[in-house]
Amino acid sequence: MSDVDFYAARMDRAARAALQEGLSGLIVTPGPDLVWLCGYVPVVTERLTALLLVPGRRPHLVVPQLERPDAESAPGAGALTITGWTDGEDPYAAVAKLLDGQGRYGVSDNAWALHLLALQRSRPGTAYGALTEVLPMLRAVKDAYEVDRLAAAGAAADAAYEGIVDLRFEGRREREVAADLARLLRENGHSQVDFTIVGSGPNGANPHHEAADRIIEDGDMVVLDFGGLKGGYGSDTTRTVHVGEPTAEERTVHELVREAQQAAFEAVRPGIACQEIDRVARQVIRRAGYGEYFIHRTGHGIGVTTHEPPYLVEGEHLPLVPGMCFSIEPGIYLPGRFGVRIEDIVVCTETGGRRLNNTDREMRIVA
């Protein structure tokens, strides 16, 4: 299949999904949705760029005229009608004339308020909804090509982990270890590093701690959560290591998180509600008396971004279907003391779950 056919099929699928949900179409602005749908990665400025997908019509991309050559070289450009607008013209009029004056449209989550409000003024009878609310499944179910890309990203993150545990932790600052993680991700093929969390000792009790100047000491538990993009698809994995010999309680908490993660993984199957995976992991931790210290959802979807639907959280009734890819990452966070999190990316298959991260989930002792 050519690039043009590949992206044309994606845009057609998106337009048909909009029709099924009673939408008049989709308005897609720069960001992951635009990349996923037509392969175009524009410079993000205040100038309007918008892809309009309407069922039964050829996809239409409105771009600043000075960026038109870049748009025409995008992989999916052959499936698009491209209209350029020049500075001094009203770009919203170019989009508004393509809209049903009484239509309801799905809009990219990251569309600028500046642009959306201007479109509303141009077509006051229109209504809009965020894509993750009106079409939460649009990018949630991956095909074999996407799963292969995610598996490659996961393997690269695994290689970075195997590299970092061979380096010294004690006596070094968290940000130094984080820099090593970023380097290892790039050495293993990542084009973009999104995060390198290194939470040592009490900092590990903050799930989104940013690596700082704290010096890692003997006796510290260290949470390592890192990922980015390789080949356009995300990686995200967490392992918790220990500098020197752990205490009995540290071993107990780590083993409890590992058991919760394993139980949640084993619960993955087509048809089970997303919230049930969260409940399985939470039940293991709650029964052991640490329920109040598991303070976030069990997982999130991953694809061309590291966080996207589906979300494994209480209240999410969407069923898992084959091709959904998501993290499973329970944790326990003891304020002022330490934290533990273990995370793998998992794909739902016809028969259960398949891990895309395969490093050892037992506690690793580091120097």
Side-chain angles (χ1 to χ4, degrees), residues 198-210:
V198 178
S200 64
N203 289 342
N206 175 0
H208 282 174
H209 170 70
E210 291 197 12

mmCIF file with all atom_site columns, all heavy atoms in Angstrom, residues 198-210:
data_model
loop_
_atom_site.group_PDB
_atom_site.id
_atom_site.type_symbol
_atom_site.label_atom_id
_atom_site.label_alt_id
_atom_site.label_comp_id
_atom_site.label_asym_id
_atom_site.label_entity_id
_atom_site.label_seq_id
_atom_site.pdbx_PDB_ins_code
_atom_site.Cartn_x
_atom_site.Cartn_y
_atom_site.Cartn_z
_atom_site.occupancy
_atom_site.B_iso_or_equiv
_atom_site.pdbx_formal_charge
_atom_site.auth_seq_id
_atom_site.auth_comp_id
_atom_site.auth_asym_id
_atom_site.auth_atom_id
_atom_site.pdbx_PDB_model_num
ATOM 1  N N   . VAL A 1 198 ? 13.435 10.355 37.621 1.00 0.00 ? 198 VAL A N   1
ATOM 2  C CA  . VAL A 1 198 ? 14.335 9.652  38.539 1.00 0.00 ? 198 VAL A CA  1
ATOM 3  C C   . VAL A 1 198 ? 13.983 10.157 39.935 1.00 0.00 ? 198 VAL A C   1
ATOM 4  O O   . VAL A 1 198 ? 14.360 11.257 40.325 1.00 0.00 ? 198 VAL A O   1
ATOM 5  C CB  . VAL A 1 198 ? 15.819 9.927  38.213 1.00 0.00 ? 198 VAL A CB  1
ATOM 6  C CG1 . VAL A 1 198 ? 16.722 9.207  39.224 1.00 0.00 ? 198 VAL A CG1 1
ATOM 7  C CG2 . VAL A 1 198 ? 16.152 9.482  36.796 1.00 0.00 ? 198 VAL A CG2 1
ATOM 8  N N   . GLY A 1 199 ? 13.218 9.348  40.679 1.00 0.00 ? 199 GLY A N   1
ATOM 9  C CA  . GLY A 1 199 ? 12.765 9.740  42.014 1.00 0.00 ? 199 GLY A CA  1
ATOM 10 C C   . GLY A 1 199 ? 13.448 8.887  43.064 1.00 0.00 ? 199 GLY A C   1
ATOM 11 O O   . GLY A 1 199 ? 13.097 7.720  43.250 1.00 0.00 ? 199 GLY A O   1
ATOM 12 N N   . SER A 1 200 ? 14.427 9.458  43.752 1.00 0.00 ? 200 SER A N   1
ATOM 13 C CA  . SER A 1 200 ? 15.191 8.686  44.734 1.00 0.00 ? 200 SER A CA  1
ATOM 14 C C   . SER A 1 200 ? 14.704 8.965  46.145 1.00 0.00 ? 200 SER A C   1
ATOM 15 O O   . SER A 1 200 ? 14.296 10.086 46.474 1.00 0.00 ? 200 SER A O   1
ATOM 16 C CB  . SER A 1 200 ? 16.679 9.043  44.628 1.00 0.00 ? 200 SER A CB  1
ATOM 17 O OG  . SER A 1 200 ? 16.902 10.407 44.955 1.00 0.00 ? 200 SER A OG  1
ATOM 18 N N   . GLY A 1 201 ? 14.754 7.919  46.986 1.00 0.00 ? 201 GLY A N   1
ATOM 19 C CA  . GLY A 1 201 ? 14.365 8.087  48.378 1.00 0.00 ? 201 GLY A CA  1
ATOM 20 C C   . GLY A 1 201 ? 12.982 8.703  48.498 1.00 0.00 ? 201 GLY A C   1
ATOM 21 O O   . GLY A 1 201 ? 12.035 8.254  47.838 1.00 0.00 ? 201 GLY A O   1
ATOM 22 N N   . PRO A 1 202 ? 12.821 9.754  49.309 1.00 0.00 ? 202 PRO A N   1
ATOM 23 C CA  . PRO A 1 202 ? 11.497 10.372 49.494 1.00 0.00 ? 202 PRO A CA  1
ATOM 24 C C   . PRO A 1 202 ? 10.931 10.969 48.208 1.00 0.00 ? 202 PRO A C   1
ATOM 25 O O   . PRO A 1 202 ? 9.712  11.088 48.075 1.00 0.00 ? 202 PRO A O   1
ATOM 26 C CB  . PRO A 1 202 ? 11.751 11.455 50.554 1.00 0.00 ? 202 PRO A CB  1
ATOM 27 C CG  . PRO A 1 202 ? 13.224 11.704 50.523 1.00 0.00 ? 202 PRO A CG  1
ATOM 28 C CD  . PRO A 1 202 ? 13.850 10.390 50.165 1.00 0.00 ? 202 PRO A CD  1
ATOM 29 N N   . ASN A 1 203 ? 11.771 11.331 47.262 1.00 0.00 ? 203 ASN A N   1
ATOM 30 C CA  . ASN A 1 203 ? 11.268 11.877 45.996 1.00 0.00 ? 203 ASN A CA  1
ATOM 31 C C   . ASN A 1 203 ? 10.500 10.838 45.193 1.00 0.00 ? 203 ASN A C   1
ATOM 32 O O   . ASN A 1 203 ? 9.682  11.185 44.339 1.00 0.00 ? 203 ASN A O   1
ATOM 33 C CB  . ASN A 1 203 ? 12.421 12.431 45.153 1.00 0.00 ? 203 ASN A CB  1
ATOM 34 C CG  . ASN A 1 203 ? 13.005 13.705 45.714 1.00 0.00 ? 203 ASN A CG  1
ATOM 35 O OD1 . ASN A 1 203 ? 12.371 14.379 46.536 1.00 0.00 ? 203 ASN A OD1 1
ATOM 36 N ND2 . ASN A 1 203 ? 14.213 14.053 45.289 1.00 0.00 ? 203 ASN A ND2 1
ATOM 37 N N   . GLY A 1 204 ? 10.753 9.563  45.454 1.00 0.00 ? 204 GLY A N   1
ATOM 38 C CA  . GLY A 1 204 ? 10.028 8.510  44.758 1.00 0.00 ? 204 GLY A CA  1
ATOM 39 C C   . GLY A 1 204 ? 8.571  8.436  45.146 1.00 0.00 ? 204 GLY A C   1
ATOM 40 O O   . GLY A 1 204 ? 7.774  7.792  44.454 1.00 0.00 ? 204 GLY A O   1
ATOM 41 N N   . ALA A 1 205 ? 8.182  9.109  46.253 1.00 0.00 ? 205 ALA A N   1
ATOM 42 C CA  . ALA A 1 205 ? 6.783  9.129  46.672 1.00 0.00 ? 205 ALA A CA  1
ATOM 43 C C   . ALA A 1 205 ? 5.960  10.140 45.883 1.00 0.00 ? 205 ALA A C   1
ATOM 44 O O   . ALA A 1 205 ? 4.753  10.243 46.085 1.00 0.00 ? 205 ALA A O   1
ATOM 45 C CB  . ALA A 1 205 ? 6.691  9.436  48.165 1.00 0.00 ? 205 ALA A CB  1
ATOM 46 N N   . ASN A 1 206 ? 6.617  10.895 44.996 1.00 0.00 ? 206 ASN A N   1
ATOM 47 C CA  . ASN A 1 206 ? 5.939  11.821 44.089 1.00 0.00 ? 206 ASN A CA  1
ATOM 48 C C   . ASN A 1 206 ? 5.933  11.183 42.701 1.00 0.00 ? 206 ASN A C   1
ATOM 49 O O   . ASN A 1 206 ? 6.974  11.117 42.042 1.00 0.00 ? 206 ASN A O   1
ATOM 50 C CB  . ASN A 1 206 ? 6.675  13.166 44.052 1.00 0.00 ? 206 ASN A CB  1
ATOM 51 C CG  . ASN A 1 206 ? 6.083  14.139 43.044 1.00 0.00 ? 206 ASN A CG  1
ATOM 52 O OD1 . ASN A 1 206 ? 5.105  13.828 42.360 1.00 0.00 ? 206 ASN A OD1 1
ATOM 53 N ND2 . ASN A 1 206 ? 6.668  15.320 42.951 1.00 0.00 ? 206 ASN A ND2 1
ATOM 54 N N   . PRO A 1 207 ? 4.779  10.694 42.227 1.00 0.00 ? 207 PRO A N   1
ATOM 55 C CA  . PRO A 1 207 ? 4.764  9.933  40.967 1.00 0.00 ? 207 PRO A CA  1
ATOM 56 C C   . PRO A 1 207 ? 5.332  10.690 39.772 1.00 0.00 ? 207 PRO A C   1
ATOM 57 O O   . PRO A 1 207 ? 5.887  10.070 38.864 1.00 0.00 ? 207 PRO A O   1
ATOM 58 C CB  . PRO A 1 207 ? 3.277  9.621  40.769 1.00 0.00 ? 207 PRO A CB  1
ATOM 59 C CG  . PRO A 1 207 ? 2.701  9.641  42.140 1.00 0.00 ? 207 PRO A CG  1
ATOM 60 C CD  . PRO A 1 207 ? 3.461  10.703 42.880 1.00 0.00 ? 207 PRO A CD  1
ATOM 61 N N   . HIS A 1 208 ? 5.187  12.016 39.730 1.00 0.00 ? 208 HIS A N   1
ATOM 62 C CA  . HIS A 1 208 ? 5.679  12.796 38.600 1.00 0.00 ? 208 HIS A CA  1
ATOM 63 C C   . HIS A 1 208 ? 6.830  13.703 39.006 1.00 0.00 ? 208 HIS A C   1
ATOM 64 O O   . HIS A 1 208 ? 6.999  14.799 38.464 1.00 0.00 ? 208 HIS A O   1
ATOM 65 C CB  . HIS A 1 208 ? 4.540  13.609 37.976 1.00 0.00 ? 208 HIS A CB  1
ATOM 66 C CG  . HIS A 1 208 ? 3.650  12.796 37.101 1.00 0.00 ? 208 HIS A CG  1
ATOM 67 N ND1 . HIS A 1 208 ? 2.494  13.279 36.531 1.00 0.00 ? 208 HIS A ND1 1
ATOM 68 C CD2 . HIS A 1 208 ? 3.746  11.508 36.680 1.00 0.00 ? 208 HIS A CD2 1
ATOM 69 C CE1 . HIS A 1 208 ? 1.921  12.328 35.813 1.00 0.00 ? 208 HIS A CE1 1
ATOM 70 N NE2 . HIS A 1 208 ? 2.667  11.241 35.890 1.00 0.00 ? 208 HIS A NE2 1
ATOM 71 N N   . HIS A 1 209 ? 7.634  13.233 39.940 1.00 0.00 ? 209 HIS A N   1
ATOM 72 C CA  . HIS A 1 209 ? 8.797  14.006 40.373 1.00 0.00 ? 209 HIS A CA  1
ATOM 73 C C   . HIS A 1 209 ? 9.724  14.274 39.196 1.00 0.00 ? 209 HIS A C   1
ATOM 74 O O   . HIS A 1 209 ? 10.028 13.386 38.394 1.00 0.00 ? 209 HIS A O   1
ATOM 75 C CB  . HIS A 1 209 ? 9.556  13.225 41.450 1.00 0.00 ? 209 HIS A CB  1
ATOM 76 C CG  . HIS A 1 209 ? 10.891 13.801 41.790 1.00 0.00 ? 209 HIS A CG  1
ATOM 77 N ND1 . HIS A 1 209 ? 11.032 14.989 42.473 1.00 0.00 ? 209 HIS A ND1 1
ATOM 78 C CD2 . HIS A 1 209 ? 12.150 13.363 41.521 1.00 0.00 ? 209 HIS A CD2 1
ATOM 79 C CE1 . HIS A 1 209 ? 12.319 15.250 42.633 1.00 0.00 ? 209 HIS A CE1 1
ATOM 80 N NE2 . HIS A 1 209 ? 13.019 14.283 42.060 1.00 0.00 ? 209 HIS A NE2 1
ATOM 81 N N   . GLU A 1 210 ? 10.182 15.508 39.068 1.00 0.00 ? 210 GLU A N   1
ATOM 82 C CA  . GLU A 1 210 ? 11.174 15.840 38.053 1.00 0.00 ? 210 GLU A CA  1
ATOM 83 C C   . GLU A 1 210 ? 12.563 15.706 38.653 1.00 0.00 ? 210 GLU A C   1
ATOM 84 O O   . GLU A 1 210 ? 12.825 16.201 39.751 1.00 0.00 ? 210 GLU A O   1
ATOM 85 C CB  . GLU A 1 210 ? 10.954 17.266 37.533 1.00 0.00 ? 210 GLU A CB  1
ATOM 86 C CG  . GLU A 1 210 ? 9.681  17.397 36.722 1.00 0.00 ? 210 GLU A CG  1
ATOM 87 C CD  . GLU A 1 210 ? 9.667  18.662 35.889 1.00 0.00 ? 210 GLU A CD  1
ATOM 88 O OE1 . GLU A 1 210 ? 10.730 19.305 35.772 1.00 0.00 ? 210 GLU A OE1 1
ATOM 89 O OE2 . GLU A 1 210 ? 8.592  18.990 35.360 1.00 0.00 ? 210 GLU A OE2 1
#
